[in-house]
Amino acid sequence: MLRLLLLVPTTTYRTEDFVEAARKLDVDLVVASERPNVFSERLPDTLLTLDFTDPETAAREMVAFARRTPFNAVVPVDDRTTVVGAAIANTLGLPSNTVAAVSATRNKYQMREALAKAGVPSPPYTLFTLADKPAVAARKVPYPCVLKPTILAASRGVIRADNEGEFVAAFRRIEAILKTPEVTALGAGADQILVEGFIAGREVALEGLLLKGTLQVLALFDKPDPLDGPFFEETIYVTPSRLPAGTQAAIADFTAWAARALGLREGPIHAELRVDETGPWVVEIAARSIGGLCSRTLRFGTGLTLEELILRHALGIEIETLERAPGPSGGGPEPAGVMMIPIPGAGILEEIRGQEAVKAVPGIEEITMTTHLGQELVPLPEGSRYLGFIFARAETPEAVEAALREAHRRLEFVIAPAKETGGGEPGAG
Ligand code: ADP
Ligand code: CA
């Protein structure tokens, strides 16, 4: 039987979908997390504890483990395990990206450097650190610009500034995020602030699979809500894209170019691009699949999930087709979408009203809350968790988008003021 090592951070959204895919494939599954699980002691050969922040040591440990029980594939489920995943796979001689390529996707400055060197259209940028004086830095950048940490994700700490005053405020606000113990623990890069020229235009997300260096586009999502800042909260994703075919082809080409620039060759990629009148700009490319629960919008061939595709590819199991499942009226891939429910404000989530009414909206498939009652909601730019996800399928992308908007209109959140926590600034968001 094929044996799979899945690298699963304790707080990832991706566990369920990957474990379910492994179960369907009937493989021998070993799961590694960074913290011991309550069952680890009883299942020492199935549930491992690995320090994901120390790829070299983790790789050595897995080589020792693999002597007894060899693996056929190592699959990191999200951003936090891509580097350690590459380190383990390379040490075990399994097909994978290099550690250098994957590491470059995990630091936004290194990513910009690699893209710029290869000539890939990507925003102009300048790197600062917390040792820089914000008022001095503010005079060295173009406006509007975007300030961002280099090693965080999910738009955390990403802030637009239109002038020097806003720049200084944004810089200080990011500094506070970077100085939290949880972020300083991430080590290298935790003192960096990257400043980029703001690229106006529509944003898309491309989900792809690299097969020996060739990019196969699995899905292109439009993000129909304007993302103009000052914060960049993800909301609606709809696929297939409604952009002209020529633009979609350019997006695919630029994504492949970005992957080559970084040296990515194998496995899933998730890229974000902006498109203005001059064409696409690469905002970001990551060596992983789409985050949150968003992959549930996608079905392939006769019903495979994205995670099944990724595991099959990693294990070298035949994949009949990488085509998406057809829509209700045949023709192209089925229109589908997801709304990452925006956090309406800071405070304690007391009640969610209207979930039944949401399910009654035609086209709505499911609503999954990933925040529990009593939990503190922290809006962007400090927060990073999603409130929940609404999924829709319909005849057309327009109908998918309309269903998601109607569903969201029917939701009501009761939020009580939080006790003093010292987290974000008051009134933030
Ligand atoms: P993260 O990894 O935290 O998602 P990104 O660099 O992808 O950080 O930025 C998050 C979002 O902020 C992007 O999806 C985009 O909407 C917006 N954004 C980031 N950089 C720029 C930029 N240079 N110009 C315009 N928008 C940007
Ligand atoms: Ca991003």
Side-chain angles (χ1 to χ4, degrees), residues 108 153-155 203 223 234 237 270 272 283-284 288:
K108 294 183 199 301
S155 300
E203 190 160 314
K223 303 189 187 183
E234 301 267 29
Y237 274 46
H270 178 80
E272 279 154 354
V283 174
E284 184 167 51
R288 57 158 170 93

Side-chain angles (χ1 to χ4, degrees), residues 381-429:
E382 285 80 16
S384 65
R385 299 293 290 177
Y386 298 115
L387 204 47
F389 301 83
I390 308 172
F391 298 93
R393 269 178 233 283
E395 288 272 338
T396 62
E398 290 80 0
V400 168
E401 183 184 336
L404 291 170
R405 292 196 190 283
E406 175 57 28
H408 185 241
R409 253 194 300 279
R410 295 185 183 195
L411 280 179
E412 198 188 324
F413 298 94
V414 182
I415 298 168
K419 297 165 290 297
E420 195 46 54
T421 56
E425 288 170 22

Side-chain angles (χ1 to χ4, degrees), residues 108 112 123 146 148 152-156 158 196-200 203 223 227 232 234 272 274 283-284:
K108 294 183 199 301
R112 286 277 169 266
V146 176
K148 55 175 84 168
L152 297 184
S155 300
R156 204 170 158 212
V158 180
E196 300 178 351
F198 177 81
I199 307 295
E203 190 160 314
K223 303 189 187 183
L227 288 160
F232 299 90
E234 301 267 29
E272 279 154 354
R274 287 205 164 210
V283 174
E284 184 167 51

Side-chain angles (χ1 to χ4, degrees), residues 123-274:
Y125 59 95
T126 316
L127 182 69
F128 297 99
T129 73
L130 295 182
D132 285 296
K133 288 201 169 53
V136 177
R139 293 198 290 271
K140 296 183 183 163
V141 300
Y143 292 95
C145 65
V146 176
L147 295 83
K148 55 175 84 168
T150 58
I151 59 167
L152 297 184
S155 300
R156 204 170 158 212
V158 180
I159 307 177
R160 170 175 166 163
D162 287 349
N163 52 56
E164 292 184 21
E166 288 180 11
F167 180 100
V168 171
F171 196 100
R172 295 245 157 81
R173 198 156 174 181
I174 296 171
E175 178 172 25
I177 298 172
L178 295 182
K179 283 188 167 161
T180 56
E182 167 233 342
V183 177
T184 49
L186 298 174
D191 65 337
Q192 296 174 333
I193 297 180
L194 185 67
V195 181
E196 300 178 351
F198 177 81
I199 307 295
R202 323 250 342 222
E203 190 160 314
V204 295
L206 185 147
E207 200 61 22
L209 190 63
L210 288 165
L211 305 158
K212 296 191 170 58
T214 302
L215 175 68
Q216 190 72 47
V217 176
L218 300 177
L220 184 62
F221 290 92
D222 287 334
K223 303 189 187 183
D225 277 336
L227 288 160
D228 291 331
F231 312 128
F232 299 90
E233 188 164 41
E234 301 267 29
T235 55
I236 297 179
Y237 274 46
V238 177
T239 186
S241 171
R242 282 165 269 173
L243 290 172
T247 309
Q248 295 194 34
I251 290 167
D253 286 348
F254 280 39
T255 305
W257 187 5
R260 274 197 307 280
L262 281 146
L264 297 173
R265 293 183 50 80
E266 212 61 73
I269 57 140
H270 178 80
E272 279 154 354
L273 299 92
R274 287 205 164 210

